[in-house]
Amino acid sequence: METGRRTIPEVEILARLPLRSIARFKSVCKRWKSVIESDYFRRLFVSLHGNSSTSWSLMFRTEYLRQMTQAIGFHGCKTWDLPKSLLSYIMPFQVYPNLPTASEYYYIASSNGLIWIDVFVSRIKDMVSRYKSFVGNPVLQQWVEIPQPPNPWVQDKHPWYPSPLSDVGMVTRVENGVVSSFKMVRTIQMELIDRRDEGMYLWRVCVYSSETGLWTFKQVFSSRPVNAGRIDSPVNLNGILYMWDRYMFSNGPGVLVAHDFYGHEADDRCQVIPLPGADDEDVRRCLTTSGEDVIFIEVIHRTLKVWRLNNEESERWQLIWEVIMPSFISDVNCFPLAMNPFDTDIVYLWDRQHGCLVSGYLQAQEFIVHQESEGWSSSEGDCCSVNTSGTEGYMEERCDGVLMLSQFVLPSWMDSVPRPPN
């Protein structure tokens, strides 16, 4: 609240607290609740914490019969002041706390502080499984149950029970720093067709929008196929899903297939963006984001290169780092995992030969090895948990392709989860 140009002292004191503490003050009285939920208080909090980091985790998309796993997680940051990692807020899942095993939950994707989870509910005849989908903020324990999508096969009288394998990704819309809506994308079918005498792939999808609370069908055309059965979630940024494809038996980096699901409704074409880098079977690659940029990382024989995606058609990728890594890092079994979501100076890698996670500070050319730990602190003072055993289980069979892990990053304010009408 403001009086003229002066801020009420108690409100400014409150705004300097972390969000976990502020959330408790909402229940003190109606006045505090009204103050905390005001636009003024949100802007004041964000301005006071503008230089503070926020909690985030690097998540693996859940595979069949595997538990939810994070490679690395940061908590205890000044913005939220969480006492434990983000994964511990997801599990146990409070909506279904009594499911017998943790393998019944599938982490699908995240975007701007929201996550998408599929929960196994029951087994139907002919080994068909039924799942429920939820989108929410696990720290605030706010969840929206998503209705079952309609059957895309009109001639089929049986209900359609999509599985997590058909899940593609999630995108969000942010207005004035607040997530105003989200969309979920499921693949129905991918087929090669002839369109206007040119070979095109037809990607049929089902899209859920929180603005309407409905699933709608959409047809998108691409000169390259969209691999909906990939282990990893697509990278998402500003409403766009970035998916990866490469010709069979090729060692090259391949291409990105991108589509803006918040773009004009009439836009039915995917962008195909060639990736930079070497054509070599020993190259290890990943696609990630940092700030407002899509980032592509390549490691080959201890040489690490980092590119940033540009909007200019003439030069789509800008090389921003080229660093020689130290000899204690494996030369052919070092996999880039992701870039720090706030700092393009920090990269995270997995050394499969030594079974350890490595953080690299590129400006200083300093690389630090981390074993299984719950007590490591980052340079910003955040508590960090490293999960080497879980990461090893997911990475033991990875040898090529482009790794795309999910960066689950909490927002800088405790926005309510967008809810559909009614």
Side-chain angles (χ1 to χ4, degrees):
M1 298 178 69
E2 260 185 320
T3 304
R5 294 186 178 181
R6 298 179 60 188
T7 303
I8 298 178
E10 59 187 9
V11 174
E12 182 164 344
I13 293 172
L14 181 63
R16 295 183 183 277
L17 297 175
L19 288 174
R20 188 166 70 98
S21 300
I22 293 175
R24 293 197 290 264
F25 278 94
K26 290 178 64 175
S27 59
V28 171
C29 63
K30 291 182 179 180
R31 177 175 175 270
W32 279 118
K33 184 175 185 297
S34 175
V35 168
I36 292 171
E37 292 181 349
S38 67
D39 290 340
Y40 165 73
F41 188 84
R42 176 178 62 82
R43 291 193 299 268
L44 177 61
F45 177 88
V46 172
S47 67
L48 292 173
H49 294 259
N51 295 323
S52 301
S53 59
T54 187
S55 299
W56 69 279
S57 289
L58 188 61
M59 302 286 296
F60 292 96
R61 176 165 170 158
T62 311
E63 299 178 39
Y64 181 63
L65 294 182
R66 286 186 183 267
Q67 296 186 8
M68 286 188 194
T69 302
Q70 66 177 18
I72 187 170
F74 291 86
H75 62 280
C77 64
K78 295 179 181 178
T79 303
W80 283 84
D81 188 33
L82 301 181
K84 52 188 179 180
S85 70
L86 290 180
L87 180 61
S88 62
Y89 288 90
I90 304 174
M91 298 298 298
F93 189 57
Q94 292 191 7
V95 181
Y96 287 99
N98 298 318
L99 284 185
T101 66
S103 62
E104 311 291 4
Y105 304 89
Y106 291 81
Y107 177 95
I108 304 301
S110 66
S111 179
N112 283 302
L114 300 181
I115 64 170
W116 172 2
I117 290 179
D118 278 359
V119 181
F120 170 83
V121 177
S122 62
R123 189 83 64 193
I124 308 170
K125 64 178 182 178
D126 300 326
M127 296 300 293
V128 176
S129 300
R130 186 165 66 91
Y131 296 83
K132 285 183 178 292
S133 296
F134 295 86
V135 171
N137 181 321
V139 176
L140 298 178
Q141 285 301 316
Q142 295 180 3
W143 296 99
V144 175
E145 183 174 346
I146 309 302
Q148 195 77 4
N151 193 334
W153 315 112
V154 179
Q155 68 276 17
D156 190 348
K157 297 181 180 179
H158 300 287
W160 183 45
Y161 295 108
S163 76
L165 292 177
S166 71
D167 302 336
V168 178
M170 178 171 63
V171 292
T172 49
R173 170 178 283 163
V174 179
E175 297 176 317
N176 299 320
V178 177
V179 177
S180 60
S181 67
F182 63 85
K183 290 186 177 182
M184 305 158 63
V185 182
R186 290 185 183 272
T187 288
I188 300 171
Q189 184 183 40
M190 169 63 69
E191 60 178 326
L192 180 63
I193 63 169
D194 290 325
R195 187 191 190 207
R196 296 192 294 269
D197 298 323
E198 58 178 327
M200 296 290 288
Y201 287 90
L202 170 61
W203 182 30
R204 297 186 66 213
V205 295
C206 201
V207 181
Y208 174 85
S209 171
S210 65
E211 295 176 348
T212 63
L214 301 173
W215 290 92
T216 57
F217 298 120
K218 184 178 179 68
Q219 294 189 151
V220 183
F221 296 90
S222 172
S223 60
R224 297 291 288 267
V226 175
N227 189 347
R230 278 184 52 82
I231 297 174
D232 304 329
S233 298
V235 166
N236 70 83
L237 186 68
N238 298 327
I240 302 175
L241 285 181
Y242 295 89
M243 298 149 284
W244 176 75
D245 180 61
R246 183 175 66 183
Y247 290 124
M248 191 176 296
F249 307 119
S250 169
N251 292 319
V255 300
L256 295 184
V257 181
H259 185 72
D260 186 353
F261 283 91
Y262 275 105
H264 195 279
E265 191 63 32
D267 179 16
D268 64 354
R269 296 293 293 264
C270 288
Q271 294 184 66
V272 176
I273 306 169
L275 287 167
D279 186 347
D280 192 300
E281 64 179 3
D282 291 332
V283 177
R284 310 306 184 199
R285 309 176 177 96
C286 84
L287 189 74
T288 181
T289 63
S290 184
E292 290 297 310
D293 295 313
V294 174
I295 302 292
F296 181 67
I297 306 174
E298 171 188 280
V299 174
I300 177 171
H301 305 309
R302 296 199 182 95
T303 298
L304 183 148
K305 294 183 179 181
V306 180
W307 288 268
R308 176 192 291 122
L309 180 63
N310 292 324
N311 292 324
E312 291 79 12
E313 292 288 342
S314 58
E315 187 180 2
R316 295 309 304 261
W317 295 97
Q318 176 190 0
L319 182 65
I320 58 175
W321 290 109
E322 183 170 358
V323 176
I324 304 300
M325 298 188 296
S327 59
F328 63 79
I329 296 177
S330 172
D331 57 346
V332 295
N333 282 307
C334 183
F335 294 78
L337 298 179
M339 185 71 76
N340 184 288
F342 312 107
D343 191 345
T344 53
D345 178 45
I346 306 175
V347 66
Y348 304 99
L349 310 109
W350 174 251
D351 188 334
R352 186 163 68 184
Q353 180 175 334
H354 300 104
C356 60
L357 188 136
V358 179
S359 59
Y361 298 84
L362 304 183
Q363 182 69 45
Q365 298 193 24
E366 179 184 8
F367 291 81
I368 302 174
V369 174
H370 307 284
Q371 298 293 346
E372 195 87 17
S373 168
E374 290 293 338
W376 172 51
S377 295
S378 72
S379 58
E380 293 81 17
D382 304 339
C383 299
C384 176
S385 57
V386 177
N387 182 3
T388 56
S389 57
T391 302
E392 187 172 20
Y394 274 87
M395 295 298 295
E396 61 184 354
E397 298 178 358
R398 300 301 291 257
C399 58
D400 61 0
V402 174
L403 187 66
M404 295 187 291
L405 302 188
S406 175
Q407 296 167 310
F408 174 30
V409 182
L410 283 185
S412 57
W413 177 250
M414 47 184 181
D415 307 324
S416 297
V417 176
R419 295 184 177 275
N422 303 323

